[in-house]
PDB file of all heavy atoms in Angstrom:
ATOM      1  N   LYS A 204       0.844  -1.193   0.000  1.00  0.00           N
ATOM      2  CA  LYS A 204       0.000   0.000   0.000  1.00  0.00           C
ATOM      3  C   LYS A 204       0.878   1.242   0.000  1.00  0.00           C
ATOM      4  O   LYS A 204       1.801   1.360   0.772  1.00  0.00           O
ATOM      5  CB  LYS A 204      -0.903  -0.031   1.229  1.00  0.00           C
ATOM      6  CG  LYS A 204      -1.846   1.132   1.274  1.00  0.00           C
ATOM      7  CD  LYS A 204      -2.783   1.012   2.465  1.00  0.00           C
ATOM      8  CE  LYS A 204      -3.616   2.263   2.536  1.00  0.00           C
ATOM      9  NZ  LYS A 204      -4.511   2.250   3.664  1.00  0.00           N
ATOM     10  N   ARG A 205       0.538   2.185  -0.873  1.00  0.00           N
ATOM     11  CA  ARG A 205       1.308   3.420  -0.984  1.00  0.00           C
ATOM     12  C   ARG A 205       0.798   4.468  -0.009  1.00  0.00           C
ATOM     13  O   ARG A 205      -0.373   4.525   0.296  1.00  0.00           O
ATOM     14  CB  ARG A 205       1.192   3.976  -2.395  1.00  0.00           C
ATOM     15  CG  ARG A 205       1.869   3.107  -3.422  1.00  0.00           C
ATOM     16  CD  ARG A 205       1.657   3.689  -4.783  1.00  0.00           C
ATOM     17  NE  ARG A 205       2.284   4.999  -4.866  1.00  0.00           N
ATOM     18  CZ  ARG A 205       3.210   5.320  -5.740  1.00  0.00           C
ATOM     19  NH1 ARG A 205       3.619   4.423  -6.597  1.00  0.00           N
ATOM     20  NH2 ARG A 205       3.716   6.507  -5.775  1.00  0.00           N
ATOM     21  N   ASP A 206       1.686   5.300   0.463  1.00  0.00           N
ATOM     22  CA  ASP A 206       1.312   6.429   1.296  1.00  0.00           C
ATOM     23  C   ASP A 206       1.136   7.628   0.375  1.00  0.00           C
ATOM     24  O   ASP A 206       2.103   8.269  -0.014  1.00  0.00           O
ATOM     25  CB  ASP A 206       2.396   6.695   2.338  1.00  0.00           C
ATOM     26  CG  ASP A 206       2.114   7.933   3.166  1.00  0.00           C
ATOM     27  OD1 ASP A 206       0.979   8.449   3.107  1.00  0.00           O
ATOM     28  OD2 ASP A 206       3.023   8.372   3.875  1.00  0.00           O
ATOM     29  N   TRP A 207      -0.122   7.917  -0.001  1.00  0.00           N
ATOM     30  CA  TRP A 207      -0.385   8.948  -1.000  1.00  0.00           C
ATOM     31  C   TRP A 207       0.072  10.323  -0.538  1.00  0.00           C
ATOM     32  O   TRP A 207       0.379  11.184  -1.337  1.00  0.00           O
ATOM     33  CB  TRP A 207      -1.861   8.973  -1.373  1.00  0.00           C
ATOM     34  CG  TRP A 207      -2.739   9.551  -0.306  1.00  0.00           C
ATOM     35  CD1 TRP A 207      -3.315   8.889   0.722  1.00  0.00           C
ATOM     36  CD2 TRP A 207      -3.104  10.913  -0.167  1.00  0.00           C
ATOM     37  NE1 TRP A 207      -4.017   9.750   1.498  1.00  0.00           N
ATOM     38  CE2 TRP A 207      -3.912  11.007   0.980  1.00  0.00           C
ATOM     39  CE3 TRP A 207      -2.831  12.077  -0.884  1.00  0.00           C
ATOM     40  CZ2 TRP A 207      -4.444  12.203   1.408  1.00  0.00           C
ATOM     41  CZ3 TRP A 207      -3.376  13.265  -0.448  1.00  0.00           C
ATOM     42  CH2 TRP A 207      -4.172  13.320   0.679  1.00  0.00           C
ATOM     43  N   SER A 208       0.146  10.546   0.756  1.00  0.00           N
ATOM     44  CA  SER A 208       0.477  11.877   1.251  1.00  0.00           C
ATOM     45  C   SER A 208       1.934  12.258   1.013  1.00  0.00           C
ATOM     46  O   SER A 208       2.297  13.407   1.137  1.00  0.00           O
ATOM     47  CB  SER A 208       0.157  11.984   2.737  1.00  0.00           C
ATOM     48  OG  SER A 208       0.968  11.103   3.473  1.00  0.00           O
ATOM     49  N   SER A 209       2.772  11.293   0.656  1.00  0.00           N
ATOM     50  CA  SER A 209       4.179  11.622   0.469  1.00  0.00           C
ATOM     51  C   SER A 209       4.542  11.830  -0.995  1.00  0.00           C
ATOM     52  O   SER A 209       5.687  12.067  -1.314  1.00  0.00           O
ATOM     53  CB  SER A 209       5.052  10.502   1.039  1.00  0.00           C
ATOM     54  OG  SER A 209       4.858   9.318   0.302  1.00  0.00           O
ATOM     55  N   ASP A 210       3.552  11.754  -1.866  1.00  0.00           N
ATOM     56  CA  ASP A 210       3.828  11.873  -3.288  1.00  0.00           C
ATOM     57  C   ASP A 210       3.551  13.269  -3.821  1.00  0.00           C
ATOM     58  O   ASP A 210       3.008  14.128  -3.143  1.00  0.00           O
ATOM     59  CB  ASP A 210       3.006  10.864  -4.077  1.00  0.00           C
ATOM     60  CG  ASP A 210       3.578   9.460  -3.953  1.00  0.00           C
ATOM     61  OD1 ASP A 210       4.748   9.322  -3.569  1.00  0.00           O
ATOM     62  OD2 ASP A 210       2.847   8.525  -4.233  1.00  0.00           O
ATOM     63  N   VAL A 211       3.901  13.460  -5.042  1.00  0.00           N
ATOM     64  CA  VAL A 211       3.791  14.747  -5.703  1.00  0.00           C
ATOM     65  C   VAL A 211       2.522  14.777  -6.538  1.00  0.00           C
ATOM     66  O   VAL A 211       2.128  13.796  -7.127  1.00  0.00           O
ATOM     67  CB  VAL A 211       5.012  14.962  -6.633  1.00  0.00           C
ATOM     68  CG1 VAL A 211       4.920  16.283  -7.344  1.00  0.00           C
ATOM     69  CG2 VAL A 211       6.290  14.869  -5.833  1.00  0.00           C
ATOM     70  N   CYS A 212       1.907  15.907  -6.585  1.00  0.00           N
ATOM     71  CA  CYS A 212       0.729  16.113  -7.423  1.00  0.00           C
ATOM     72  C   CYS A 212       1.159  17.021  -8.573  1.00  0.00           C
ATOM     73  O   CYS A 212       1.624  18.127  -8.342  1.00  0.00           O
ATOM     74  CB  CYS A 212      -0.372  16.767  -6.596  1.00  0.00           C
ATOM     75  SG  CYS A 212      -1.895  17.010  -7.468  1.00  0.00           S
ATOM     76  N   LYS A 236      -0.597  19.716   5.185  1.00  0.00           N
ATOM     77  CA  LYS A 236      -0.178  18.461   5.811  1.00  0.00           C
ATOM     78  C   LYS A 236       1.302  18.214   5.558  1.00  0.00           C
ATOM     79  O   LYS A 236       1.801  18.474   4.462  1.00  0.00           O
ATOM     80  CB  LYS A 236      -0.972  17.279   5.250  1.00  0.00           C
ATOM     81  CG  LYS A 236      -2.385  17.217   5.717  1.00  0.00           C
ATOM     82  CD  LYS A 236      -3.027  15.938   5.231  1.00  0.00           C
ATOM     83  CE  LYS A 236      -4.412  15.776   5.798  1.00  0.00           C
ATOM     84  NZ  LYS A 236      -4.993  14.494   5.408  1.00  0.00           N
ATOM     85  N   SER A 237       1.973  17.678   6.559  1.00  0.00           N
ATOM     86  CA  SER A 237       3.374  17.336   6.356  1.00  0.00           C
ATOM     87  C   SER A 237       3.468  16.119   5.438  1.00  0.00           C
ATOM     88  O   SER A 237       2.553  15.303   5.384  1.00  0.00           O
ATOM     89  CB  SER A 237       4.050  17.039   7.697  1.00  0.00           C
ATOM     90  OG  SER A 237       3.445  15.916   8.288  1.00  0.00           O
ATOM     91  N   GLY A 238       4.547  16.021   4.717  1.00  0.00           N
ATOM     92  CA  GLY A 238       4.766  14.879   3.840  1.00  0.00           C
ATOM     93  C   GLY A 238       4.224  15.051   2.433  1.00  0.00           C
ATOM     94  O   GLY A 238       4.431  14.203   1.585  1.00  0.00           O
ATOM     95  N   ILE A 239       3.532  16.160   2.149  1.00  0.00           N
ATOM     96  CA  ILE A 239       3.026  16.402   0.800  1.00  0.00           C
ATOM     97  C   ILE A 239       3.972  17.388   0.133  1.00  0.00           C
ATOM     98  O   ILE A 239       4.265  18.450   0.677  1.00  0.00           O
ATOM     99  CB  ILE A 239       1.596  16.953   0.815  1.00  0.00           C
ATOM    100  CG1 ILE A 239       0.648  15.930   1.422  1.00  0.00           C
ATOM    101  CG2 ILE A 239       1.161  17.318  -0.601  1.00  0.00           C
ATOM    102  CD1 ILE A 239      -0.783  16.412   1.547  1.00  0.00           C
ATOM    103  N   LYS A 240       4.460  17.020  -1.049  1.00  0.00           N
ATOM    104  CA  LYS A 240       5.397  17.865  -1.782  1.00  0.00           C
ATOM    105  C   LYS A 240       4.731  18.413  -3.035  1.00  0.00           C
ATOM    106  O   LYS A 240       3.934  17.746  -3.668  1.00  0.00           O
ATOM    107  CB  LYS A 240       6.629  17.063  -2.218  1.00  0.00           C
ATOM    108  CG  LYS A 240       7.517  16.600  -1.113  1.00  0.00           C
ATOM    109  CD  LYS A 240       8.822  16.006  -1.616  1.00  0.00           C
ATOM    110  CE  LYS A 240       8.667  15.070  -2.769  1.00  0.00           C
ATOM    111  NZ  LYS A 240       9.903  14.462  -3.227  1.00  0.00           N
ATOM    112  N   PHE A 241       5.104  19.614  -3.387  1.00  0.00           N
ATOM    113  CA  PHE A 241       4.715  20.190  -4.665  1.00  0.00           C
ATOM    114  C   PHE A 241       6.000  20.424  -5.444  1.00  0.00           C
ATOM    115  O   PHE A 241       6.882  21.150  -4.983  1.00  0.00           O
ATOM    116  CB  PHE A 241       3.976  21.519  -4.478  1.00  0.00           C
ATOM    117  CG  PHE A 241       3.691  22.209  -5.779  1.00  0.00           C
ATOM    118  CD1 PHE A 241       2.571  21.884  -6.517  1.00  0.00           C
ATOM    119  CD2 PHE A 241       4.551  23.169  -6.280  1.00  0.00           C
ATOM    120  CE1 PHE A 241       2.300  22.504  -7.724  1.00  0.00           C
ATOM    121  CE2 PHE A 241       4.296  23.797  -7.490  1.00  0.00           C
ATOM    122  CZ  PHE A 241       3.172  23.460  -8.212  1.00  0.00           C
ATOM    123  N   ASN A 242       6.118  19.792  -6.594  1.00  0.00           N
ATOM    124  CA  ASN A 242       7.299  19.982  -7.439  1.00  0.00           C
ATOM    125  C   ASN A 242       6.869  20.548  -8.774  1.00  0.00           C
ATOM    126  O   ASN A 242       5.910  20.084  -9.374  1.00  0.00           O
ATOM    127  CB  ASN A 242       8.023  18.655  -7.684  1.00  0.00           C
ATOM    128  CG  ASN A 242       8.785  18.191  -6.474  1.00  0.00           C
ATOM    129  OD1 ASN A 242       9.073  18.976  -5.584  1.00  0.00           O
ATOM    130  ND2 ASN A 242       9.099  16.920  -6.436  1.00  0.00           N
ATOM    131  N   LYS A 259       5.453   7.726 -10.776  1.00  0.00           N
ATOM    132  CA  LYS A 259       5.895   7.706  -9.377  1.00  0.00           C
ATOM    133  C   LYS A 259       4.919   8.438  -8.457  1.00  0.00           C
ATOM    134  O   LYS A 259       5.024   8.336  -7.241  1.00  0.00           O
ATOM    135  CB  LYS A 259       7.288   8.319  -9.264  1.00  0.00           C
ATOM    136  CG  LYS A 259       8.349   7.490  -9.965  1.00  0.00           C
ATOM    137  CD  LYS A 259       9.691   8.160  -9.926  1.00  0.00           C
ATOM    138  CE  LYS A 259      10.703   7.326 -10.713  1.00  0.00           C
ATOM    139  NZ  LYS A 259      11.991   8.000 -10.841  1.00  0.00           N
ATOM    140  N   ASN A 260       3.978   9.176  -9.033  1.00  0.00           N
ATOM    141  CA  ASN A 260       3.008   9.933  -8.246  1.00  0.00           C
ATOM    142  C   ASN A 260       1.829   9.050  -7.850  1.00  0.00           C
ATOM    143  O   ASN A 260       1.448   8.155  -8.589  1.00  0.00           O
ATOM    144  CB  ASN A 260       2.487  11.126  -9.044  1.00  0.00           C
ATOM    145  CG  ASN A 260       3.573  12.106  -9.402  1.00  0.00           C
ATOM    146  OD1 ASN A 260       4.620  12.135  -8.772  1.00  0.00           O
ATOM    147  ND2 ASN A 260       3.326  12.909 -10.417  1.00  0.00           N
ATOM    148  N   THR A 261       1.244   9.352  -6.733  1.00  0.00           N
ATOM    149  CA  THR A 261       0.026   8.664  -6.327  1.00  0.00           C
ATOM    150  C   THR A 261      -1.136   9.114  -7.190  1.00  0.00           C
ATOM    151  O   THR A 261      -1.987   8.309  -7.561  1.00  0.00           O
ATOM    152  CB  THR A 261      -0.283   8.964  -4.840  1.00  0.00           C
ATOM    153  OG1 THR A 261       0.778   8.413  -4.075  1.00  0.00           O
ATOM    154  CG2 THR A 261      -1.589   8.338  -4.408  1.00  0.00           C
ATOM    155  N   ILE A 317      -8.141   8.398  -5.551  1.00  0.00           N
ATOM    156  CA  ILE A 317      -6.981   7.535  -5.311  1.00  0.00           C
ATOM    157  C   ILE A 317      -7.440   6.116  -4.987  1.00  0.00           C
ATOM    158  O   ILE A 317      -6.889   5.136  -5.503  1.00  0.00           O
ATOM    159  CB  ILE A 317      -6.102   8.124  -4.193  1.00  0.00           C
ATOM    160  CG1 ILE A 317      -5.440   9.417  -4.676  1.00  0.00           C
ATOM    161  CG2 ILE A 317      -5.052   7.117  -3.731  1.00  0.00           C
ATOM    162  CD1 ILE A 317      -4.829  10.257  -3.566  1.00  0.00           C
TER     163      ILE A 317
END
Side-chain angles (χ1 to χ4, degrees):
K204 182 176 175 182
R205 292 177 63 122
D206 175 13
W207 73 272
S208 64
S209 65
D210 284 342
V211 179
C212 183
K236 287 186 174 184
S237 63
I239 297 177
K240 293 189 315 182
F241 174 85
N242 286 341
K259 294 176 183 174
N260 298 339
T261 296
I317 292 166

